Amino acid sequence: MVVRPDAWSAAARLIARWLDQRERLDALLESLPAGLPAAERARCQHLVYGVVRHFGRIDAVLGKLVTHPPRFVTRAVLFVAAFELIEAHDSPATDGRVAKIVHHAVEQTKKLASPAEARLVNAVVRKAAAELMGPAPDGASADESALADYFSHPRWLVERWLRSFGVDVTRQLLEWNQRPAPGYARWRVESESPPEFLKASAWPGFFEVAPRRWREVAPLLKSGRLYLQDPSTRLAVELLAPQSGETVLDLCAAPGGKGLLIADAMKKGRLVSVDVPGARIDRLKENLATVREVEVSLVQADLLEGIGPLLRDDHRLPESYDAVLLDVPCSNTGVIRHRADVKWRLQPGDFAKHAAQQLAMLHAAAKLVSPQGGRLVYSTCSIDPEENEGVIRAFFNSRAGESFKLINQIQVLPTVANHDGVGAFLLVKNSR
């Protein structure tokens, strides 16, 4: 007899892997069974993201109740059930839901582990319910430890944000990151009206995609008429202001969302997309293939190795460009709501490492800007000052910075913008 996979057991198995190996969530979810129906797949993803999003809070509670942690599959059952308890917090029929959650977790444990472990799960989930469904810590008196535990963020990160942003903004960021992110997409075809099931957003051209409409969305994505994209991505491109007929360089281009936005804005011209060889290049190729009128070139190279001669000699491309977008690798602190596992991968020393690499990349990108008033946009999806104004300040304190002027900048917190947080800076080269 073939047992059909279900969302709950699939989620528990993925969480067991995550607890053991800390794999990236996007890679984990790609390993879901092909036979899992769309609705079950969506439910599984919801459970997995929910557990990882609330991992700190759940782990703190379970740590008080389980002296010796059981094997990973049993721990995973406890975590998934605990997330369901958190979800049930605002339910009008809380008692009934708790009983159902406990019963379901016990039955899943019998299937995934053993009857003996099911007895442990029964006892622990019942005891965990009261604490997991309790109120948030008081905003005025809660210390960083209480905030970190309840809102499931590393304590060191909460302390860093308190120093940078203060108590009120930090609390808002923590609450923001704990809410599931809506899905956004950009409609790319001006000659066609978007389908009615796409809900208009506050940002022209961007639409909210309802979770249950992915069957209709898939063919639109495949045809290139629609692209999944957060509205925050428009900010760096709007600063760059690509014009028809220009030659634009998109550095750190994968997976290609900002490059597509540049091409769609230009209508005509040339786009050169550069990124290091790796797993994301296939996505970049696939996305760039949907560009029609703009001439597109893809170069696989490491910016820090000096790509000017490579562009000229190996690809017969320009060495300098009217406009250059440098969207650097960063801490991703502005997109934690979308990437729930980011906060658990980050380490305190990562910010300085990122800033050093970002500054080196900014210096390398500056060499590729046209001396005739060329434009350079440096952008991140970080909200951290060290990766934003800190890098820009260091650049202008160097000799290379003497050739540029800072014309404009945008730094937004997600709680203010109501989309992902970003930093973007427009630098213009002094004409000779």
Side-chain angles (χ1 to χ4, degrees):
M1 177 181 175
V2 177
V3 179
R4 190 176 186 181
D6 67 276
W8 210 101
S9 61
R13 289 187 177 96
L14 292 184
I15 290 299
R17 280 174 52 185
W18 186 79
L19 292 170
D20 183 21
Q21 303 171 27
R22 287 299 194 271
E23 294 179 58
R24 290 177 62 103
L25 286 192
D26 50 1
L28 268 181
L29 292 166
E30 285 176 3
S31 69
L32 279 172
L36 199 63
E40 290 289 283
R41 184 176 295 268
R43 175 62 180 163
C44 175
Q45 179 171 314
H46 174 75
L47 292 171
V48 170
Y49 268 90
V51 168
V52 175
R53 187 176 289 116
H54 293 276
F55 170 74
R57 180 178 171 192
I58 296 171
D59 194 48
V61 170
L62 294 181
K64 300 174 186 176
L65 301 175
V66 182
T67 307
H68 302 290
R71 53 185 174 146
F72 286 115
V73 68
T74 307
R75 287 184 67 195
V77 168
L78 290 171
F79 272 89
V80 177
F83 168 60
E84 289 189 309
L85 290 172
I86 291 173
E87 274 197 308
H89 174 64
D90 295 323
S91 171
T94 299
D95 292 340
R97 287 196 65 183
V98 169
K100 289 180 180 178
I101 291 168
V102 173
H103 175 75
H104 190 251
V106 168
E107 294 306 309
Q108 286 285 347
T109 310
K110 292 176 183 176
K111 180 172 63 174
L112 296 170
S114 70
E117 288 161 297
R119 290 192 288 274
L120 169 70
V121 166
N122 181 50
V124 171
V125 176
R126 289 182 185 279
K127 292 177 182 177
E131 191 162 355
L132 284 169
M133 298 172 69
D138 180 72
S141 60
D143 60 17
E144 52 265 40
S145 180
L147 290 172
D149 280 352
Y150 185 86
F151 292 109
S152 291
H153 282 64
R155 179 172 175 174
W156 66 264
L157 185 59
V158 174
E159 291 172 346
R160 185 181 182 93
W161 285 352
L162 287 169
R163 291 193 300 271
S164 296
F165 305 120
V167 176
D168 292 341
V169 172
T170 296
R171 176 71 176 243
Q172 291 166 12
L173 285 170
L174 296 173
E175 292 177 350
W176 171 273
N177 289 340
Q178 292 309 98
R179 295 194 290 269
Y184 289 103
R186 182 171 64 86
W187 185 252
R188 299 182 58 211
V189 186
E190 291 184 356
S191 59
E192 295 181 31
S193 298
E196 292 184 359
F197 70 81
L198 293 175
K199 181 182 176 183
S201 75
W203 308 279
F206 288 86
F207 297 84
E208 189 170 341
V209 182
R212 297 181 181 178
R213 305 308 294 256
W214 291 110
R215 182 171 294 180
E216 294 108 315
V217 166
L220 297 174
L221 297 175
K222 189 174 181 179
S223 69
R225 287 138 74 197
L226 193 70
Y227 184 77
L228 296 179
Q229 191 165 25
D230 190 80
S232 63
T233 57
R234 82 195 193 282
L235 295 174
V237 176
E238 287 177 358
L239 270 189
L240 191 68
Q243 303 298 308
S244 179
E246 287 190 322
T247 302
V248 180
L249 179 63
D250 181 15
L251 299 168
C252 307
K258 291 185 177 70
L260 291 182
L261 195 49
I262 289 170
D264 292 346
M266 282 201 298
K267 303 292 191 294
K268 294 181 180 180
R270 178 173 229 171
L271 173 67
V272 178
S273 295
V274 178
D275 213 323
V276 294
R280 301 207 310 166
I281 286 292
D282 288 341
R283 284 272 312 279
L284 178 57
K285 288 180 180 178
E286 183 180 325
N287 286 324
L288 292 179
T290 65
V291 176
R292 295 291 177 259
E293 298 180 0
V294 172
E295 185 179 353
V296 176
S297 299
L298 170 60
V299 177
Q300 298 185 50
D302 187 340
L303 172 63
L304 293 178
E305 293 179 358
I307 65 171
L310 174 71
L311 294 171
R312 180 193 65 219
D313 299 335
D314 292 10
H315 297 272
R316 299 190 179 186
L317 293 167
E319 282 189 87
S320 65
Y321 292 81
D322 302 312
V324 176
L325 174 63
L326 175 63
D327 187 39
V328 293
C330 68
S331 64
N332 293 302
T333 48
V335 298
I336 291 176
R337 189 177 182 185
H338 273 108
R339 303 177 188 175
D341 55 337
V342 161
K343 58 188 176 184
W344 306 122
R345 294 200 308 268
L346 268 179
Q347 299 298 321
D350 287 347
F351 295 95
K353 291 178 183 177
H354 282 306
Q357 182 189 50
Q358 290 156 355
L359 180 58
M361 297 180 87
L362 183 54
H363 278 286
K367 297 175 182 177
L368 303 168
V369 179
S370 170
Q372 305 303 319
R375 310 183 306 283
L376 169 61
V377 167
Y378 168 85
S379 72
T380 77
C381 56
S382 169
I383 60 174
D384 197 88
E386 190 169 358
E387 296 180 275
N388 288 305
E389 60 263 41
V391 171
I392 295 298
R393 189 183 309 114
F395 177 73
F396 278 105
N397 286 335
S398 70
R399 289 188 63 183
E402 296 173 2
S403 301
F404 286 84
K405 291 181 180 178
L406 178 61
I407 301 300
N408 200 357
Q409 61 180 292
I410 299 171
Q411 296 183 77
V412 294
L413 295 174
T415 50
V416 175
N418 208 31
H419 57 52
D420 287 344
V422 300
F425 302 80
L426 172 62
L427 286 59
V428 173
K429 195 159 190 176
N430 302 323
S431 298
R432 291 178 182 175

